[in-house]
């Protein structure tokens, strides 16, 4: 029997029990029926941030802003990482301009910034954009 993991839905943040051996498939949310683990980064905001940090899979947050050139240049790399890490790590994007209070609480001083959460707690932080392979290596060093 496979171990069940609690995973927040990327759309509605409802917690779903998913067998570990099904993480690579396309499990659907029991509440909203959306894919729980999409192949693309999902949007984070003040309203869903705390719920999205919960669960048994790590969450990598890209803090960005629309006016930030390096943030825009990093977006395709982050999307590639999301597809490659599906079932091992969830990737979300937090717009620092639209969520200024939350960005302030997170201590964001520069963007893009990457914050890795495990069990609802910050475990690592990286400032600046990274190419895909160094990003994956950094996450591998964090146990992802």
């Amino acid at each position: 029997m496979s171990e069940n993991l609690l995973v927040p839905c990327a759309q509605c943040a409802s917690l779903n029990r998913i067998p570990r051996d099904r993480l690579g498939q396309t499990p659907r949310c029991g509440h909203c029926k959306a894919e729980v683990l999409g192949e693309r980064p999902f949007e984070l905001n003040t309203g869903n941030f705390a719920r999205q940090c919960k669960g048994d899979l790590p969450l990598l947050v890209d803090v960005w802003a629309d006016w930030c050139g390096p943030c825009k240049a990093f977006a395709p790399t982050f999307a590639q990482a999301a597809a490659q890490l599906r079932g091992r790590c969830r990737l979300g994007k937090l717009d620092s301009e639209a969520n200024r209070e939350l960005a302030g609480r997170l201590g964001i001083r520069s963007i893009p910034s990457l914050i890795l959460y495990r069990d609802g707690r910050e475990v690592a932080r990286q400032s600046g954009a990274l190419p895909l392979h160094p990003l994956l290596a950094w996450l591998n060093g964090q146990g992802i």
Side-chain angles (χ1 to χ4, degrees):
M1 186 161 150
S2 180
E3 172 191 10
N4 284 331
L5 301 178
L6 287 176
V7 182
C9 173
Q11 296 299 312
C12 72
S14 294
L15 287 176
N16 291 269
R17 289 187 192 283
I18 302 173
R20 183 179 292 279
D21 60 0
R22 288 203 52 232
L23 290 174
Q25 299 171 7
T26 53
R28 298 252 172 216
C29 176
H31 181 73
C32 74
K33 308 303 181 213
E35 281 187 27
V36 174
L37 301 168
E39 290 188 1
R40 301 173 64 195
F42 59 92
E43 183 180 336
L44 292 165
N45 57 50
T46 303
N48 72 3
F49 186 80
R51 290 178 295 163
Q52 289 292 354
C53 286
K54 294 179 181 177
D56 295 322
L57 284 183
L59 171 65
L60 179 62
V61 179
D62 172 21
V63 184
W64 67 285
D66 191 47
W67 52 262
C68 171
C71 296
K72 286 184 174 184
F74 180 61
T77 300
F78 198 68
Q80 283 180 303
Q84 290 191 23
L85 295 167
R86 184 178 186 184
R88 294 187 311 169
C89 184
R90 303 167 58 244
L91 279 72
K93 296 182 72 66
L94 177 69
D95 182 344
S96 62
E97 287 295 307
N99 300 279
R100 289 181 186 217
E101 181 182 324
L102 178 56
R105 280 188 285 151
L106 296 176
I108 301 303
R109 304 265 186 274
S110 65
I111 53 173
S113 284
L114 298 172
I115 307 172
L116 181 63
Y117 290 88
R118 186 175 278 129
D119 299 320
R121 294 186 332 257
E122 179 179 331
V123 295
R125 187 178 285 231
Q126 168 71 41
S127 293
L130 294 171
L132 181 61
H133 294 294
L135 171 61
L136 296 175
W138 178 71
L139 288 169
N140 188 44
Q142 305 303 321
I144 306 296

